[in-house]
Amino acid sequence: MPSSKTNRIALIASAFVIIALILFAMLRDNADAITLNQANSLLQSKSVKKVIVTKEYVYLKTDNGYYKIASSQVTPRMFVDYKVEVGSESNIIAIILFLVLFLGLGSLLVKFLQNRGVFGDIRFKRSDETNNASSSLLELNSPIEAMKSDVSFSDIGGISDVKIELEEIIDFMKNPKRYKNFGARMPRGVLLVGPPGVGKTMIAKAVASAADVPFFYQSGASFVQIYVGMGAKRVHELFAAAKKNAPAIIFIDEIDAVGKKRDGQRNDEREATLNQLLTEMDGFEGSSGVIVIAATNKIDILDSALLRAGRFDRRIFVELPTKREREAILMKYLQKVPHELDVKVIANMTVGFNGAALAALVNEAALLALRQNDFHVTLEHFYQVKDKVMFGKKKLQMLNEKQKAYRITYQAGKVVVATYFDLPFEKLMLSNEKLTPSTDEPFIKEELEARVKMLIAGTVACDMRFNEHASSAKADLDEAKEITLKMCQEYGMGTAIIPESNEEELMLKRLYEETTLLLESLGEVIQNVESVLQERESISKEEVKKYINAIF
């Protein structure tokens, strides 16, 4: 028996050696390196059977051998007559072989531990009474565990102002005695306020990573349960776990789900949960080292008791990134993407984008480049996917010749006025539903009027050319009316601070007449833009500028 066991072990060891040798043979790059001239010769002689592109090399497979050349030495035009495959076949084989090796070693380890009696006391129980309610209760009763954050501030671009605000928190978590000896205490709670997608969760994780403390993450919605008392119990367990692991950070995402204003309407479970949260935040004297960070995009609906001093003492507003911040964010996401781009141009064309939208934009551009078998992401890829990220993919209706003529004139009027007033955009396509994104920045009167003129310019151009316009103008006209209404009723930008009757109608009529005079003076520019749109269905801001500068 001992000899048979020895033979079995030797057989298994031999099998793993063979697998390792096969793995080495399959992963070894056996392609011969060639020069650019040799590659051109192979391609021109039509002897290449397959072209495979990877990040570092382009592989040429022929009947006589397998050759490689650095990707930086070739251009896509060299492979116009060939179907190009992206990736490497060896990766799949390597994964399979690694998986086989891992499972084999894992099986041996489990068998060894079983023989040693490690699993002797473990028994598995089955229950025939399992249903959705019981599984939910099990989940609620499961212990709350801390996680280690793997996000650092270096992974987040464009938050220098926010980082300065949080450096005190990080220092306090590392050196609490310094603050205690000075008689100072740090805020018990920090509230991150900002629109969705600006990176509030990532910022909280970066704080935990920089302070090197346990990170307890909970969503506000997870406290709102159908079981009476379970939400309050969950809050208590969360704070108890954090106190045991102090110093620690509790992060409550979307706190407005549990912290809404109490308006007198009966909701015992929600109120009990909120009361428990308030009580826990009041009981921090004996548990220094625990800081609560919460995130919301609806601070106006939070209960006043939650916002008072002693609970969330510090509020940090995380706004949409500025141009410089967008550049920093884009640089982070483009680090691993092969590109030939001026990041400043991309930052200019993404006014109103948040961090999540910028990440999606870079990813969509990279996917488009892969679909088109391009070796680098270019500015044209970003132009093609920008509207998809901003407004979603929208299937456009098929236009007949007459409808297309109206569309061309409509878009020409908009793009000429937008360029004349230097509104933020980089390129217009015939299929664009919106030219520039609306923002909530504080505008002065002439900037708002310029935007209204851009929104009605398409309608004005069609009325001038065809004496009528299409129903597709509705969205632009609605926005123009909304801006005009706010200017008169809310911003005091009409003829008087207190608006008179029909104030919006008079303002919109005046702006329509001024836009008509402007387009009449730019008639030659509109004709040139229409010709370009008719030919290629797109035009850049720089091209329109050249046409305008030519007549002034």
Side-chain angles (χ1 to χ4, degrees):
M1 290 298 288
S3 62
S4 115
K5 185 174 182 181
T6 305
N7 291 337
R8 189 163 61 249
I9 293 173
L11 185 62
I12 293 171
S14 300
F16 281 113
V17 170
I18 293 171
I19 292 174
L21 291 173
I22 294 173
L23 186 62
F24 173 78
M26 295 302 299
L27 291 177
R28 188 170 63 89
D29 190 352
N30 57 1
D32 296 325
I34 58 175
T35 64
L36 182 60
N37 290 334
Q38 290 173 322
N40 281 323
S41 299
L42 289 173
L43 293 168
Q44 291 170 5
S45 64
K46 304 295 183 181
S47 60
V48 177
K49 302 300 181 183
K50 185 184 288 186
V51 179
I52 302 173
V53 176
T54 66
K55 188 174 181 180
E56 296 182 0
Y57 294 101
V58 175
Y59 293 89
L60 307 177
K61 190 174 183 180
T62 68
D63 291 333
N64 299 324
Y66 203 47
Y67 306 96
K68 66 181 180 181
I69 182 172
S71 298
S72 59
Q73 291 183 270
V74 299
T75 61
R77 289 193 297 273
M78 293 172 60
F79 310 106
V80 171
D81 299 327
Y82 294 87
K83 183 179 179 181
V84 178
E85 296 180 13
V86 179
S88 175
E89 296 175 348
S90 62
N91 289 339
I92 299 173
I93 299 171
I95 291 170
I96 294 172
L97 291 173
F98 271 124
L99 185 60
V100 170
L101 195 63
F102 176 76
L103 291 175
L105 291 172
S107 300
L108 286 176
L109 179 62
V110 171
K111 190 170 182 63
F112 173 78
L113 293 174
Q114 282 179 337
N115 292 335
R116 302 272 299 196
V118 174
F119 297 128
D121 296 327
I122 295 180
R123 298 288 183 270
F124 295 93
K125 296 181 180 179
R126 297 182 59 187
S127 173
D128 296 326
E129 299 176 359
T130 304
N131 51 43
N132 291 336
S134 62
S135 62
S136 298
L137 282 169
L138 285 171
E139 190 175 314
L140 285 169
N141 290 322
S142 60
I144 296 174
E145 296 181 355
M147 63 176 72
K148 270 289 183 182
S149 173
D150 57 353
V151 179
S152 65
F153 281 110
S154 60
D155 297 325
I156 314 172
I159 59 162
S160 54
D161 294 342
V162 175
K163 185 179 178 183
I164 293 171
E165 287 275 351
L166 294 169
E167 279 178 347
E168 268 187 344
I169 306 294
I170 297 168
D171 186 51
F172 171 72
M173 304 297 284
K174 290 182 175 180
N175 307 297
K177 288 185 179 179
R178 178 188 172 201
Y179 293 84
K180 286 182 181 178
N181 293 338
F182 199 74
R185 68 166 183 84
M186 285 307 294
R188 293 175 185 158
V190 177
L191 187 64
L192 299 176
V193 184
V198 293
K200 298 186 291 294
T201 304
M202 289 184 70
I203 290 169
K205 288 183 177 180
V207 173
S209 177
D212 193 24
V213 296
F215 181 74
F216 292 86
Y217 173 87
Q218 287 289 307
S219 168
S222 67
F223 296 123
V224 183
Q225 303 292 339
I226 60 173
Y227 306 103
V228 177
M230 292 307 299
K233 179 184 176 184
R234 195 69 172 169
V235 171
H236 177 72
E237 289 174 349
L238 173 64
F239 280 81
K243 291 173 186 177
K244 287 179 183 178
N245 292 274
I249 288 177
I250 294 174
F251 178 65
I252 304 175
D253 200 5
E254 305 294 344
I255 194 172
D256 46 89
V258 69
K260 288 182 180 177
K261 291 177 181 175
R262 290 168 286 190
D263 52 5
Q265 296 181 358
R266 189 175 180 83
N267 190 331
D268 292 339
E269 174 58 15
R270 188 184 296 274
E271 286 200 9
T273 305
L274 176 57
N275 289 336
Q276 183 66 40
L277 179 60
L278 297 174
T279 302
E280 293 289 349
M281 292 194 71
D282 278 341
F284 268 5
E285 273 71 25
S287 58
S288 61
V290 177
I291 289 181
V292 181
I293 300 178
T296 182
N297 53 10
K298 301 174 182 176
I299 190 173
D300 53 309
I301 69 170
L302 291 181
D303 194 272
S304 57
L306 199 60
L307 297 174
R308 73 156 175 80
R311 287 179 180 140
F312 285 106
D313 302 282
R314 182 169 295 184
R315 301 176 196 177
I316 298 176
F317 291 87
V318 188
E319 302 293 349
L320 289 172
T322 62
K323 178 184 173 182
R324 184 175 295 177
E325 290 170 342
R326 290 196 300 274
E327 289 179 23
I329 294 170
L330 287 165
M331 287 298 294
K332 294 289 182 186
Y333 291 125
L334 285 168
Q335 281 179 348
K336 297 181 180 179
V337 178
H339 66 276
E340 295 176 348
L341 292 166
D342 182 355
V343 178
K344 291 184 179 180
V345 176
I346 308 297
N348 280 332
M349 63 184 278
T350 51
V351 177
F353 275 56
N354 56 38
L358 291 172
L361 181 69
V362 172
N363 188 59
E364 288 291 342
L367 291 174
L368 179 62
L370 278 174
R371 284 198 298 271
Q372 297 178 349
N373 289 327
D374 292 327
F375 295 144
H376 298 89
V377 176
T378 64
L379 190 61
E380 189 60 33
H381 294 130
F382 278 88
Y383 282 138
Q384 293 181 48
V385 300
K386 178 186 172 185
D387 282 356
K388 180 180 178 181
V389 174
M390 287 178 66
F391 310 117
K393 188 69 176 176
K394 183 175 181 180
K395 186 175 180 181
L396 296 171
Q397 294 179 342
M398 297 294 291
L399 303 177
N400 58 37
E401 288 302 315
K402 186 175 181 180
Q403 290 171 336
K404 185 177 179 181
Y406 273 71
R407 184 71 178 173
I408 288 172
T409 299
Y410 186 88
Q411 294 290 71
K414 282 181 67 175
V415 76
V416 168
V417 172
T419 306
Y420 182 85
F421 290 110
D422 198 25
L423 296 180
F425 82 99
E426 294 298 322
K427 188 175 185 178
L428 172 131
M429 301 181 72
L430 198 59
S431 58
N432 280 133
E433 290 297 317
K434 287 191 175 184
L435 183 57
T436 63
S438 55
T439 64
D440 295 325
E441 297 177 7
F443 292 108
I444 59 177
K445 182 179 179 180
E446 65 178 29
E447 290 174 329
L448 289 169
E449 289 187 347
R451 182 167 184 84
V452 173
K453 289 177 180 178
M454 179 273 293
L455 291 167
I456 64 175
T459 301
V460 173
C462 286
D463 289 347
M464 289 170 59
R465 173 69 60 84
F466 306 108
N467 203 29
E468 60 180 354
H469 57 268
S471 60
S472 56
K474 179 183 182 303
D476 286 336
L477 290 177
D478 285 345
E479 187 176 346
K481 292 173 187 176
E482 183 182 354
I483 293 173
T484 307
L485 179 66
K486 287 183 177 180
M487 288 175 68
C488 295
Q489 300 293 335
E490 298 179 18
Y491 306 153
M493 294 180 178
T495 55
I497 293 180
I498 299 177
E500 301 176 5
S501 59
N502 300 326
E503 186 81 28
E504 306 93 61
E505 182 181 347
L506 295 172
M507 178 180 285
L508 202 54
K509 183 179 179 181
R510 173 177 63 81
L511 295 175
Y512 186 96
E513 291 171 352
E514 291 177 3
T515 306
T516 303
L517 292 174
L518 176 61
L519 292 181
E520 285 176 349
S521 66
L522 298 171
E524 183 181 339
V525 177
I526 290 181
Q527 290 178 5
N528 292 331
V529 172
E530 285 178 335
S531 300
V532 174
L533 291 176
Q534 181 70 45
E535 180 183 351
R536 65 170 191 262
E537 299 187 353
S538 67
I539 191 168
S540 69
K541 187 177 183 179
E542 291 301 317
E543 289 178 278
V544 182
K545 274 185 181 179
K546 290 178 182 177
Y547 290 133
I548 293 176
N549 293 336
I551 65 171
F552 284 105

